[in-house]
């Protein structure tokens, strides 16, 4: 079922300082998370700035080293470079980066950008390579004459599509999409999201979709992880998270979505005030004395929440949820 | 009784110079702002939103920019005020909050000093009164430990706190008008909600009118009383918020609304607006600017020189072709 499993992943960055530039402390960017990825599904990763989303993504594709914990690909550990190489893991997981404007090398033509992963992994002749790149451009809806142009000749949405073409060049099983549409205008965002969905169907791809836009995540994702301070505070299906949020952090996130619903704006305003109060009153049930997020407790087949204990859960269910 | 008009913008044109030619980035914009009102301007990147408000606070470089038309504040046309004249109203009568608080705060000065500055310049308060007022303002914008924060530097505060400080500065002299240009775009959603709520709460206290610029239609729906939808330097639709979302008429407004992921879009493709926003120097200067993006609508349906007309009370739409507009996949009518 799950071809990728992350177990108790921690990524801690040393904070150096002082005269000898010694390690003074650590940033607990990712501090004990589990997640598993099935074929053909989209997983959302939401949380505030600095909560550790990009770090998880980079660690999965091997750009960042885990401090501890395991990444298992079809049951085998891929923590080390050697293991990844042996299992062909690097081909199977690709990443689309947060910043469309700096993630493509401005000096390279589109054909060279998209063909780069092919050159690393496949022995194609020039002609085969050209055909393959044209095919990829076609999949993301870009005209063939883009081949010999440079990134600056394209709009933001087109550049993001070039990034997608490169990411799918090797037929990966998983794409980590880090805020793929955050920098784009609405109409362009719609276009990129549509393409991501379309190629998912065609290639049975899985996505780990990182975003802070809860509307976009709702549209895209089957299963959602909510992250706060390096840990997951809640995980569940789209319905679990949007219809029955339990953790005060999730509830606050959802209450903060600006809905396109003018008639009820007073109501939303009151809900936000109420949720803010809950957030202050109930925080000891969701965070320990050091502000650390508790471990996840399973509350249904699909729904998990980080809460002190079963009793706290009852208290919350009776009083706020 | 009709609320008092505090700002009137008439046929505003703002042109930027490239080599020897000027190009209109804002091309004939009209609107009024009333006391206690939130007037939102929405539109995609580059359509001219910031260019409008920068001309209201006199932030354009006169060597490269030409502003014409009228901006009436307090019975005077301020459109071509000099720097000294703007200094008298900026901060005192018109406060402003921009997207990037770090860029608007001086990194070398303590927070307290930066909030005090407009008070020195625009009020007769003495040193003690000013210090008291600074603490009061920080309290008002929801900063818990104002006594500590006055002695801190901008980089020591989080993005949300910095934005609160900017709001405190904007409010310090109880301005009649507040201009908020994407005040929350750089912030997390939860902080965004707090800042926007704060802005509405404080507005009620000082009876100001707010011009809110955003590209987030959700923010517009939750905040605005009236809305202008802008495309390529012009307003294409202006209406009360409720009317705009219930009964959007212009093809651009309707297309934008269709492209937002919403509950009923689950499992469906989102609407994509064909083509691209033209750049300033390639704007079609004749006929309708949006027409190239809805090419399935035959030429004969477009107006040659569409203008903004009132179609029902307070609801303005550019052009008449909205009457026959349909999405490409809907077929005729
Ligand atoms: N290379 C690094 N060295 C040291 N600290 C880092 C490094 N990369 C990230 N961090 C820190 O780790 C934490 C998590 O960062 P990360 O980029 O994963 O957050 P994020 O959730 O992606 O945030 P955003 O929404 O702003 O992109 C932050 O405190 C960040 O400052
Ligand atoms: N100082 C300037 N010199 C030349 N052109 C400019 C200048 N400022 C803005 N422009 C151009 O004028 C047009 C309108 O820009 P403006 O910044 O007002 O857009 P905006 O609607 O605020 O966009 P965004 O949502 O990206 O902030 C754009 O085409 C922009 O490139
Ligand atoms: S003529 Fe009018 S309706 Fe037609 S595209 Fe232009 S503004 Fe829109
Ligand atoms: Mg990130
Ligand atoms: Mg702007």
């Amino acid at each position: 079922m799950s071809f990728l499993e992350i177990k108790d992943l921690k990524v801690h960055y040393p904070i150096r300082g002082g005269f000898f530039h010694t390690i003074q402390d650590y940033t607990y960017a990712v501090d004990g998370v589990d997640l598993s990825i099935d074929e053909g599904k989209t997983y959302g990763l939401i949380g505030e700035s600095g909560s550790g989303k990009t770090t998880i993504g980079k660690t999965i594709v091997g750009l960042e080293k885990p401090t501890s914990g395991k990444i298992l690909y079809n049951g085998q550990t891929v923590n080390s470079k050697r293991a990844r190489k042996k299992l062909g893991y690097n081909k199977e997981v690709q990443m689309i980066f947060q910043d469309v404007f700096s993630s493509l090398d401005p000096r390279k033509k589109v054909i060279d950008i998209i063909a780069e992963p092919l050159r690393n992994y496949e022995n194609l002749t020039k002609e085969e390579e050209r055909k393959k790149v044209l095919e990829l451009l076609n999949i993301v809806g870009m005209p063939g004459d883009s081949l010999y142009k440079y990134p600056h000749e394209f709009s933001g949405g087109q550049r993001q599509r070039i990034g997608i073409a490169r990411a799918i060049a090797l037929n990966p099983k998983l794409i980590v999409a880090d805020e793929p549409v955050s920098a784009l205008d609405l109409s362009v965002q719609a276009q990129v999201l549509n393409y991501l969905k379309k190629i998912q169907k065609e290639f049975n791809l899985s996505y780990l979709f990182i975003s802070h836009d809860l509307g976009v995540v709702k549209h895209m994702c089957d299963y959602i992880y909510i992250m706060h301070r390096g840990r997951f505070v809640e995980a569940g299906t789209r319905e679990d998270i949007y219809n029955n949020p339990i953790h005060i952090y999730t509830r606050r996130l959802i209450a903060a979505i600006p809905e396109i619903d003018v008639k009820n704006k007073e109501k939303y305003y009151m809900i936000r005030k109420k949720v803010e109060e809950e957030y202050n009153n109930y925080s000891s049930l969701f965070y320990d004395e050091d502000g650390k997020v508790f471990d996840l407790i399973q509350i249904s087949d699909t729904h998990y929440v980080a809460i002190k204990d079963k009793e706290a859960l009852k208290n919350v269910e009776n009083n706020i949820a | 009784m009709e609320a008092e008009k505090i700002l009137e913008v008439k046929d505003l044109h703002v042109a930027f110079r490239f080599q020897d030619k000027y190009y209109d980035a804002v091309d004939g914009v009209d609107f009024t702002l009333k006391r206690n009102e939130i007037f939102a301007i929405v539109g995609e990147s580059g359509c001219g939103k910031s260019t409008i408000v920068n001309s209201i606070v006199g932030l354009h470089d006169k060597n490269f920019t030409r502003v014409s038309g009228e901006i009436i504040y307090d019975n005077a046309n301020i459109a071509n005020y000099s720097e000294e004249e703007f200094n008298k109203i900026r901060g005192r009568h018109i406060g402003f909050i921009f997207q990037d608080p770090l860029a608007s705060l001086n990194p070398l000065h303590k927070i307290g000093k930066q909030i005090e500055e407009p008070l020195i310049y625009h009020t007769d308060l003495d040193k003690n009164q000013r210090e008291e007022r600074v603490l009061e303002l920080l309290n008002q914008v929801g900063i818990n430990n104002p006594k500590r924060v006055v002695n801190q530097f901008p980089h020591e505060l989080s993005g949300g706190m910095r934005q609160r400080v900017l709001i405190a500065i904007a409010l310090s002299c109880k301005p009649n008008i507040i201009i908020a240009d994407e005040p929350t775009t750089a912030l997390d959603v939860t902080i965004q909600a707090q800042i926007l709520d704060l802005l509405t709460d404080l507005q009620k206290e000082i009876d100001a009118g707010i011009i809110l610029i955003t590209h987030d239609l959700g923010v517009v729906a939750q905040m605005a009383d009236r809305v202008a939808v802008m495309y390529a330097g012009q307003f294409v639709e202006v209406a009360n918020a409720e009317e705009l979302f219930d009964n959007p008429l212009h093809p651009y407004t309707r297309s934008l609304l269709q492209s937002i992921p919403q509950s009923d879009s689950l499992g469906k493709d989102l609407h994509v607006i064909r083509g691209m926003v033209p750049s300033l120097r390639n704007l079609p200067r004749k006929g309708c600017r949006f027409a190239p993006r809805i090419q399935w609508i035959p030429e004969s349906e477009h107006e040659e020189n569409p203008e903004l007309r009132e179609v029902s009370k307070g609801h303005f739409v550019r052009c008449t072709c909205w009457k026959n507009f349909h999405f490409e996949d809907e077929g005729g009518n």
Side-chain angles (χ1 to χ4, degrees):
Chain A
M1 279 285 287
S2 305
F3 66 91
L4 191 73
E5 281 181 280
I6 313 285
K7 295 208 161 136
D8 201 21
L9 178 71
K10 294 185 182 169
V11 185
H12 298 171
Y13 293 110
I15 304 171
R16 288 171 189 276
F19 191 70
F20 295 106
H21 204 63
T22 47
I23 297 175
Q24 313 266 308
D25 199 356
Y26 291 89
T27 302
Y28 299 94
V30 178
D31 200 24
V33 304
D34 297 272
L35 97 180
S36 44
I37 307 254
D38 291 357
E39 251 175 47
K41 291 267 189 289
T42 303
Y43 299 83
L45 193 51
I46 318 179
E48 66 190 26
S49 184
S51 58
K53 306 180 297 292
T54 298
T55 307
I56 292 186
K58 281 184 170 169
T59 313
I60 289 178
V61 299
L63 291 173
E64 206 64 76
K65 251 178 73 179
T67 306
S68 70
K70 279 202 172 114
I71 302 177
L72 298 169
Y73 176 62
N74 292 326
Q76 305 204 40
T77 317
V78 284
N79 282 29
S80 72
K81 234 185 203 155
R82 225 182 46 197
R84 286 198 290 272
K85 201 161 181 190
K86 193 167 135 235
L87 295 169
Y89 178 78
N90 293 336
K91 270 178 72 171
E92 304 290 356
V93 293
Q94 298 290 326
M95 186 151 175
I96 304 173
F97 292 93
Q98 193 158 358
D99 184 357
V100 265
F101 295 99
S102 66
S103 61
L104 303 179
D105 187 338
R107 290 158 308 180
K108 285 189 177 158
K109 296 195 179 84
V110 167
I111 182 165
D112 296 316
I113 290 172
I114 299 179
E116 190 186 280
L118 297 169
R119 289 173 191 163
N120 290 339
Y121 290 99
E122 280 167 36
N123 256 326
L124 301 180
T125 66
K126 276 275 156 247
E127 186 47 32
E128 284 168 340
E129 179 186 287
R130 205 182 69 91
K131 266 175 89 180
K132 175 80 189 175
V133 174
L134 270 176
E135 196 186 306
L136 290 164
L137 283 173
N138 188 32
I139 291 171
V140 297
M142 299 276 293
D145 65 4
S146 316
L147 272 184
Y148 300 103
K149 291 187 178 166
Y150 291 92
H152 75 261
E153 299 176 65
F154 297 95
S155 70
Q158 289 173 321
R159 278 187 246 192
Q160 198 55 293
R161 276 147 59 189
I162 295 169
I164 295 171
R166 178 176 60 182
I168 59 174
L170 298 168
N171 278 331
K173 292 176 77 165
L174 170 68
I175 292 182
V176 176
D178 191 0
E179 310 260 12
V181 294
S182 305
L184 305 176
D185 268 322
L186 258 188
S187 60
V188 185
Q189 162 183 311
Q191 184 185 51
V192 171
L193 294 178
N194 288 350
Y195 276 112
L196 286 174
K197 283 211 153 176
K198 179 170 158 263
I199 56 178
Q200 171 164 50
K201 273 194 213 122
E202 276 175 38
F203 300 101
N204 200 27
L205 266 172
S206 303
Y207 291 120
L208 180 61
F209 195 93
I210 300 175
S211 178
H212 61 260
D213 184 326
L214 287 99
V216 170
V217 167
K218 189 174 185 182
H219 180 76
M220 296 295 289
C221 301
D222 306 296
Y223 197 83
I224 295 160
Y225 295 93
I226 312 278
M227 203 170 178
H228 193 204
R229 301 181 186 157
R231 289 167 63 85
F232 292 155
V233 296
E234 192 156 357
T237 61
R238 175 168 48 216
E239 289 70 30
D240 293 335
I241 298 293
Y242 286 88
N243 301 341
N244 186 25
I246 304 280
H247 199 283
I248 42 171
Y249 181 76
T250 317
R251 293 171 58 76
R252 194 191 197 194
L253 266 181
I254 298 208
I257 305 175
E259 296 282 352
I260 303 219
D261 179 1
V262 182
K263 288 192 190 68
N264 291 310
K265 72 180 191 188
E266 287 301 318
K267 194 182 100 194
Y268 290 113
Y269 176 87
M270 299 310 289
I271 292 176
R272 284 196 296 276
K273 296 268 147 161
K274 184 175 148 262
V275 167
E276 203 53 39
E277 246 171 58
E278 288 167 12
Y279 191 83
N280 297 323
N281 294 342
Y282 289 85
S283 83
S284 65
L285 303 183
F286 295 96
Y287 301 91
D288 72 11
E289 301 91 73
D290 302 326
K292 187 173 167 180
V293 174
F294 288 115
D295 288 335
L296 290 170
I297 291 182
Q298 182 162 16
I299 61 171
S300 81
D301 278 354
T302 52
H303 195 171
Y304 297 78
V305 62
I307 192 164
K308 195 169 171 204
D309 47 32
K310 290 257 150 106
E311 201 173 315
L313 181 66
K314 251 196 213 119
N315 182 350
V316 167
E317 280 173 340
N318 292 336
N319 291 305
I320 59 177
Chain B
M1 201 187 83
E2 278 280 293
E4 177 197 349
K5 277 183 198 169
I6 47 179
L7 186 78
E8 218 171 340
V9 172
K10 291 184 193 162
D11 198 28
L12 179 69
H13 289 256
V14 184
F16 293 114
R17 193 177 78 184
F18 292 94
Q19 277 118 26
D20 293 333
K21 279 177 91 176
Y22 279 92
Y23 296 85
D24 266 347
V26 171
D27 198 357
V29 158
D30 300 84
F31 69 93
T32 54
L33 177 71
K34 295 183 201 127
R35 199 169 274 294
N36 267 323
E37 174 184 57
I38 299 185
F39 179 67
I41 305 176
V42 270
E44 289 175 280
S45 186
C47 69
K49 306 180 295 293
S50 298
T51 305
I52 295 180
V53 292
N54 288 347
S55 60
I56 299 173
V57 275
L59 292 180
H60 289 301
D61 180 344
K62 289 207 158 57
N63 295 319
F64 296 96
T65 321
R66 198 172 60 198
V67 180
S68 56
E70 290 175 78
I71 302 173
I72 311 286
Y73 174 74
D74 201 13
N75 297 316
N77 180 8
I78 64 173
N80 285 298
Y81 262 22
S82 66
E83 184 61 18
E84 295 90 80
E85 288 170 308
F86 267 120
N87 278 336
K88 289 199 188 106
I89 52 173
R90 205 192 283 140
R92 169 71 191 88
H93 296 264
I94 307 179
F96 47 92
I97 306 159
F98 293 126
Q99 175 171 350
D100 182 359
L102 258 193
S104 334
L105 290 170
N106 185 331
L108 303 176
H109 291 172
K110 289 183 179 167
I111 298 298
K113 185 171 171 202
Q114 304 201 41
I115 304 178
E116 192 188 349
E117 207 164 315
L119 298 174
I120 300 176
Y121 196 81
H122 294 299
T123 70
D124 313 322
L125 302 179
D126 65 27
K127 182 85 187 139
N128 283 337
Q129 290 170 316
R130 287 198 303 265
E131 275 169 15
E132 230 169 83
R133 176 87 180 123
V134 167
L135 293 177
E136 181 190 50
L137 281 162
L138 283 172
N139 240 328
Q140 255 185 324
V141 297
I143 285 184
N144 296 326
N145 39 3
K147 288 214 168 104
R148 192 169 128 219
V149 171
V150 287
N151 288 314
Q152 288 185 303
F153 291 94
H155 73 266
E156 298 178 72
L157 306 180
S158 71
M161 277 173 87
R162 283 184 213 128
Q163 204 54 287
R164 284 170 199 265
V165 168
L166 274 196
I167 294 178
I169 295 174
L171 293 174
S172 58
C173 300
K174 304 205 170 124
N176 286 317
I177 299 170
I178 298 171
I179 288 172
D181 188 352
E182 310 259 9
T184 57
T185 306
L187 303 174
D188 284 319
V189 267
T190 49
I191 317 282
Q192 160 167 293
Q194 289 170 4
I195 296 284
L196 293 178
D197 286 343
L198 171 70
L199 206 54
T200 353
D201 293 346
L202 293 174
Q203 176 199 24
K204 288 185 192 122
E205 284 173 32
I206 65 169
D207 285 338
I210 296 184
I211 302 175
L212 173 70
I213 291 184
T214 173
H215 57 259
D216 185 332
L217 286 158
V219 168
V220 172
Q222 292 304 310
M223 294 283 290
D225 299 304
R226 251 170 356 112
V227 189
V229 180
M230 190 164 185
Y231 184 79
Q234 303 175 321
F235 286 174
V236 295
E237 188 159 3
V238 182
N240 289 329
E242 204 167 327
E243 168 76 5
L244 188 92
F245 287 100
D246 278 355
N247 188 24
L249 295 177
H250 194 275
Y252 180 59
T253 314
R254 291 174 60 185
S255 306
L256 271 186
L257 284 167
Q258 285 285 317
S259 60
I260 308 173
Q262 282 184 283
S263 302
D264 57 7
S265 62
L266 279 183
K268 284 190 231 156
D269 268 358
L270 297 167
H271 177 68
V272 173
I273 305 177
R274 297 255 193 122
M276 281 159 80
V277 178
S279 71
L280 194 49
R281 276 175 288 177
N282 298 318
L283 275 188
R285 297 288 168 181
K286 271 205 205 119
C288 173
R289 294 186 179 176
F290 191 61
R293 304 192 66 184
I294 46 175
Q295 285 179 359
W296 62 94
I297 302 289
E299 187 102 26
S300 57
E301 304 259 313
H302 294 293
E303 252 184 88
E304 214 164 294
N305 284 304
E307 29 180 311
L308 209 58
R309 298 191 195 92
E310 191 164 16
V311 295
S312 64
K313 192 165 176 349
H315 191 162
F316 297 81
V317 192
R318 188 172 285 278
C319 90
T320 46
C321 93
W322 57 268
K323 290 181 182 161
N324 306 317
F325 175 74
H326 57 85
F327 288 108
E328 190 170 21
D329 46 13
E330 285 172 354
N333 294 309

